Amino acid sequence: MNRKYDALALLSGGLDSILAMRTVMDQGLAVLGLHFTTPFFGKPHLIPFWREHYGIEVEAVDIDSEFVAMLLGDPSQGFGKWLNPCIDCKITMLGRAAALLPAYGAKFLISGEVVGQRPMSQRSDALNVITKRAGVRDLLLRPLCARNLPPTPMEESGLVDRDGLLDWRGRGRKPQYELAGRYGFTEIPTPAGGCCLTEVQGSARFARLLMHRPEPEPVDFRLARAGRQLWAGSHWLAFGRKAEDNDALESCVIPGDYVFRLADFPGPLAVARPLAGEWDAGAVHDAAALVASYATRARRHFEATGQPVRVVVRRGVKSGAGGEIVAVAPSRDTALPWAEPQPAAVGEWKKNRAARPSRAPLAPAGDTA
């Protein structure tokens, strides 16, 4: 049985969301932070650190399916500079949090927004849109700027003391740092939660994927985020730059993928996901040669001996024995013109998207429309 709480808070892991929780906790109320995870943001591995250093309780909540459905289903409030649907993102998270209130016996929701802090999602009009579309007008408390907003039912009922809330406004960060100091925080997290949809390189990766697979699954986005990304037309190859990348790529393997690993030397693991039918032998050979070219010892071996390098190619199988051996000369000069995704892909995808007929949002996997 879930422990009971007075409130559930949206916790990105940024400073504002932590301070919002602590401000309400100071009134003797029990608050649980919900840390939402998607292919684009989420750091659940930091939850033990947050508990210890900031004195808060946190649980991770996977919203992969509903977030991807929102992203692909024409976000009602549009995108920011890159692929960030910030307003619809907050609407999605608040909707999920509201649905979880009964499970924890909680009475209201908390978010760390500050009026005017962010140009897209924290304007006064944007905050009103978020509250209305998420259906949480009588449930949502924004403790850091509450005294700049009309009183909520929680304040009017006396459940929350309005005088104990804050009146922050604008983009300055001095009040946040001062309050963090009063709480004794020795490590100050960044203001944002680290969404890669707000970043140029992350958006370029996802836009290129969307151009070739219009309705990707969450696992496709996770693969697009991992390691180094190379494309040649519709041929997609992701490979590791370090051990952590190799592990992340291995976790993304699904049936049908090509998995490349050097047979005799240390080097990157690579995953290729066919998007337009099976790869021919030439494409597989090109990818194997490219992967081998990023393995220093394999490349030096070939330069010294002229002997080809063996690359194991598995199909849709995670770590283990087996696979076809492909002998290659390590090379980045291959028949396929491999290149990294470029930021221009974002604008191209947005332009193509705007030209198509509007459609209703997709239902999350497993849901009915």
Side-chain angles (χ1 to χ4, degrees), residues 269-342:
L269 177 139
V271 177
R273 183 156 297 163
L275 301 179
E278 296 295 303
W279 285 19
D280 60 28
V284 173
H285 186 277
D286 270 12
L290 185 69
V291 171
S293 76
Y294 284 92
T296 302
R297 288 176 57 184
R299 192 173 63 249
R300 289 175 178 170
H301 164 81
F302 177 76
E303 292 169 352
T305 68
Q307 296 297 313
V309 173
R310 300 192 311 154
V311 178
V312 180
V313 184
R314 308 191 310 267
R315 288 304 306 274
V317 179
K318 297 187 178 182
S319 57
E324 175 189 359
I325 296 292
V326 178
V328 299
S331 176
R332 300 178 194 180
D333 183 17
T334 62
L336 288 173
W338 298 101
E340 294 184 338
Q342 297 301 309

Side-chain angles (χ1 to χ4, degrees), residues 20-21 23-24 110-112 141-147 165-167:
M21 283 188 67
T23 297
V24 175
I110 296 167
S111 74
L141 178 70
R142 296 179 167 111
L144 303 185
C145 62
R147 283 158 51 196
L165 304 177
L166 302 169
D167 60 354

Side-chain angles (χ1 to χ4, degrees), residues 10 12 36-38 40-42 63 66-71 74-80 83-97 113 120-121 126 129-130 133-134 193-198:
L10 272 58
S12 67
F36 292 108
T37 64
T38 74
F40 314 103
F41 57 80
I63 56 168
E66 51 257 69
F67 190 93
V68 169
M70 175 274 292
L71 183 70
D74 293 328
S76 63
Q77 304 304 307
F79 294 92
L83 287 183
N84 47 312
C86 295
I87 296 176
D88 288 271
C89 172
K90 186 59 67 72
I91 292 168
T92 299
M93 291 190 292
L94 283 170
R96 180 64 177 275
E113 295 148 314
M120 180 177 180
S121 62
V129 168
I130 290 168
R133 288 188 172 267
C195 176
C196 57
L197 291 172
T198 66

Side-chain angles (χ1 to χ4, degrees), residues 19-20 31 61 65 88 94 175 188 255-256 258 283 304 360 362:
L19 294 176
V31 180
V61 180
S65 295
D88 288 271
L94 283 170
I188 307 299
Y258 296 88
L362 301 173

Side-chain angles (χ1 to χ4, degrees), residues 209 213 219-224 236-238 248-261 269-279 284 287 312-318 323-324:
L209 168 62
R213 175 165 283 182
V219 70
D220 296 318
F221 286 113
R222 292 193 185 280
L223 179 60
W236 176 23
L237 183 68
L249 289 167
E250 189 82 66
S251 72
C252 292
V253 174
I254 61 174
D257 286 349
Y258 296 88
V259 183
F260 300 81
R261 186 187 290 276
L269 177 139
V271 177
R273 183 156 297 163
L275 301 179
E278 296 295 303
W279 285 19
V284 173
V312 180
V313 184
R314 308 191 310 267
R315 288 304 306 274
V317 179
K318 297 187 178 182
E324 175 189 359

